């Protein structure tokens, strides 16, 4: 009997998806906002009007179908797709237009980088014909895809959902800065692992088209740009679009190397392109291409250099974020309006990238825990009730950032929790409603939504076996390692070895409340035999793990209960 082993099913749902579903089911907090504040953001939506831009040299750019653009390059006996959109359904919609222009087979799919809005629709193109297209990307792309789908998935999913407003009623999302909305929620994820990769550059002829790919770190470390020398056309991926760049993204990201970003843009400028087909926002041609690339790289360099100048004078990230403004010659360009990244957030990220989180101020090295700080602040204010009154007053007088900071302290003290949350919600909603930056707006409105008493997180999209087969088994072991519950692993020394049909060996050794992953097959307490795909499906909840063990699809050498017990240590 296995029933005494309690394992929540949710434990197995490794939540591989990085983005959540859309909903119209939120309580609508009816409010009136002066529309003029948001006018520019509403205007910015024109950038994403659904349209296929066609050039007479055989280049076609689909804008407005989900968050990212897709590009089709016509060759002699086949076509090339650059970036595959957010989802299979969107790829299908885009291709319904592309195929009317030219229905020759798709010979290659090129990912400009790992983000889901450029890769998750690939399976549609991959499965179109008998002959499978090449899938080309930088050598590090698959590793980054797996990282987002893997150990960081729960938090990146949550924060992405807030930033893109996927749980908001559609009327609340004006746009997402670089696209109209995130489309992945309505359709299965169709990521296909790249099968042709390169380090620095790749020059290749596909269907008679000369194609040059260059590694170009910027918005991501795996970013590439596509150069078609005969067309004099540049596809810069996400290293340029019509808004200030996301030098930092509030959904959370490793440090983005801002200096390399400038270098990558300079590499593009050196080619003197006539056409620029970005992966977000509309295309450019003629003189505007070089002018825009130059303004864009200057904006980035300005923020980078001035941050460092002020860092060297001893200023803190917070201070610098209030000190730097783009020069008017640059800020007048429509390409650097803060509809995606902002200068303020970029400054803090640049500081952090060079010096790490410590701002240099001794007060901030080991500050009081927030609850202790809040208690002292309450005493100083004349008691918790006084703090609460200050919060009420701040909300009444629409001093909302102060209200938020006051509410942090009251939450830390757990004081009048329901009323505090209500006031906090009002403050978050107020700021979100008036934020011109859609990332901030969506993040705030989503956070306000989460404070509704009846709020329930949207369920994650179900996994498919096809998707799991594109993800390496190593990632699943990495996830197990970061899910080990130390309480349940106390005092346990155990080694479980996995022998896969592929011949691959993976071993988890529990000791000192850590799970070491290796590939030794000695001194195994339990020897598990199965296929990589079956284990992936069981861990991701595509198949029932207990049934899979019971049926022998995961063979445990007679140690089913012990194996399930072992797995339970990775549960909440
Ligand atoms: Zn993108």
């Amino acid at each position: 009997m296995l029933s005494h082993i309690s394992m929540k099913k949710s434990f197995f749902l490794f939540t591989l998806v990085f983005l959540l579903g859309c909903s119209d089911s939120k309580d609508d907090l009816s409010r009136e906002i002066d529309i003029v504040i948001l006018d520019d953001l509403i205007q910015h939506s024109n950038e994403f009007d659904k349209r296929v831009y066609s050039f007479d040299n055989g280049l076609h750019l689909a804008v407005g179908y989900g968050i990212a653009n897709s590009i089709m390059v016509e060759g002699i006996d086949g076509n090339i797709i650059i970036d595959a959109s957010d989802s299979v359904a969107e790829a299908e919609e885009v291709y319904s237009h592309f195929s009317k222009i030219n229905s020759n087979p798709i010979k290659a799919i090129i990912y400009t980088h790992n983000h889901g809005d450029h890769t998750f629709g690939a399976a549609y193109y991959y499965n179109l014909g008998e002959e499978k297209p090449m899938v080309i990307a930088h050598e590090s792309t698959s590793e980054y895809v797996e990282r987002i789908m893997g150990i960081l998935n729960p938090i990146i999913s949550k924060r992405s959902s807030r930033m893109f407003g996927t749980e908001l009623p559609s009327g609340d999302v004006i746009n997402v800065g670089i696209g109209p909305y995130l489309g992945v929620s309505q359709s299965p994820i169709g990521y296909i692992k790249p099968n042709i990769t390169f380090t620095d550059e790749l020059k290749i002829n596909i269907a008679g088209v000369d194609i040059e790919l260059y590694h170009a770190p910027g918005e991501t470390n795996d970013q590439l740009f596509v150069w078609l020398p005969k067309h004099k056309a540049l596809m810069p991926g996400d290293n340029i679009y019509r808004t200030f760049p996301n030098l930092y993204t509030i959904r959370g990201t490793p440090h983005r190397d801002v200096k390399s970003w400038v270098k990558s843009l300079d590499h593009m400028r050196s080619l003197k392109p006539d056409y620029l087909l970005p992966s977000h926002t509309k295309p450019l041609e003629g003189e505007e291409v070089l002018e825009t690339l130059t303004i864009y790289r200057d904006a980035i360099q300005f923020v980078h250099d001035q941050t460092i100048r002020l860092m060297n004078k001893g200023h803190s990230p917070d201070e610098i974020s209030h000190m730097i403004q783009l020069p008017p010659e640059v800020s007048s360009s429509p390409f650097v309006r803060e509809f995606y990244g902002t200068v303020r957030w970029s400054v803090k990220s640049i500081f952090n990238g060079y010096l790490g989180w410590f701002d240099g101020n001794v007060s901030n090295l080991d500050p009081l825990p927030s609850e202790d700080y809040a208690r002292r602040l309450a005493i100083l204010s004349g008691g918790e009730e006084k703090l609460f009154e200050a919060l009420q007053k701040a909300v009444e007088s629409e001093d909302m950032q102060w209200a938020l900071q006051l509410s942090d302290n009251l939450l830390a003290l757990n004081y009048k929790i329901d009323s505090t949350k209500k006031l906090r919600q009002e403050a978050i909603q107020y700021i979100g409603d008036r934020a011109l930056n859609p990332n901030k707006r969506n993040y705030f409105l989503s956070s306000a939504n989460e404070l509704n008493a009846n709020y329930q997180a949207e369920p994650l999209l179900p996994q498919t076996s096809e998707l799991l087969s594109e993800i390496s088994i190593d990632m699943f072991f990495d996830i197990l390692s970061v899910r080990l519950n130390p309480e349940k692993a106390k005092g346990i020394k155990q080694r479980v070895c996995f022998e896969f049909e592929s011949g691959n060996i993976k071993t988890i050794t529990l000791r000192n409340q850590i799970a070491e992953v290796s590939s030794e097959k000695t001194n195994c307490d339990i020897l598990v035999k199965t296929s990589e795909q079956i284990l992936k499906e069981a861990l991701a909840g595509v198949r029932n793990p207990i049934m899979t063990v019971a049926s022998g699809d995961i063979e445990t050498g007679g140690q089913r209960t012990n194996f399930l017990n072992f797995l339970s240590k990775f549960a909440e």
Side-chain angles (χ1 to χ4, degrees), residues 68 113 115 117-118 178 219 238 280:
H113 62 294
H115 287 160
D117 51 333
H118 303 257
I178 52 166
E219 205 218 43
D238 279 7
H280 297 278

Side-chain angles (χ1 to χ4, degrees), residues 232-382:
K232 293 196 78 65
L234 168 71
M235 289 78 173
D238 279 7
N239 279 346
I240 181 167
Y241 32 62
R242 193 184 170 103
T243 129
F244 188 80
N246 230 13
L247 303 184
Y248 172 75
T249 179
I250 62 172
R251 68 174 180 267
T253 177
H255 174 60
R256 293 177 170 180
D257 184 345
V258 170
K259 199 142 173 91
S260 295
W261 198 326
V262 173
K263 274 191 204 153
S264 296
L265 288 163
D266 284 342
H267 187 180
M268 296 175 199
R269 290 166 73 223
S270 72
L271 300 166
K272 301 194 169 35
D274 287 339
Y275 300 90
L276 185 141
L277 279 68
S279 289
H280 297 278
T281 69
K282 293 175 182 173
L284 296 179
E285 57 181 307
E287 282 176 9
E288 219 188 336
V289 174
L290 212 51
E291 279 167 22
T292 306
L293 284 168
T294 304
I295 281 282
Y296 212 67
R297 56 87 65 217
D298 288 355
I300 299 174
Q301 188 187 338
F302 180 87
V303 176
H304 172 269
D305 291 358
Q306 293 309 311
T307 300
I308 294 188
R309 187 174 74 90
L310 294 168
M311 268 164 50
N312 282 329
K313 286 174 169 251
H315 289 288
S316 72
D318 193 46
E319 284 166 352
I320 303 170
S321 75
H322 293 288
M323 292 165 85
I324 293 188
Q325 274 186 337
L326 292 177
E329 305 91 298
V330 173
S331 65
S332 57
S333 164
F335 272 76
V336 297
R337 298 290 311 276
E338 294 179 326
F339 291 131
Y340 204 46
T342 74
V343 174
R344 299 186 307 287
W345 307 333
S346 302
V347 162
K348 294 182 190 183
S349 180
I350 293 166
F351 185 105
N352 186 52
Y354 281 101
L355 297 183
W357 64 267
F358 178 43
D359 65 3
N361 177 356
V362 289
S363 312
N364 296 331
L365 191 56
D366 287 309
L368 299 171
S370 46
E371 192 189 336
D372 191 1
Y373 174 83
R375 194 171 301 112
R376 292 168 195 240
L377 188 70
I379 292 168
L380 206 60
S381 325

Side-chain angles (χ1 to χ4, degrees), residues 10-29:
S10 62
F11 147 55
F12 294 103
L13 291 171
F14 271 139
T15 62
L16 282 163
V17 236
F18 115 83
L19 302 157
L20 315 180
C22 244
S23 156
D24 291 322
S25 64
K26 193 197 83 163
D27 309 11
D28 205 66
L29 302 160

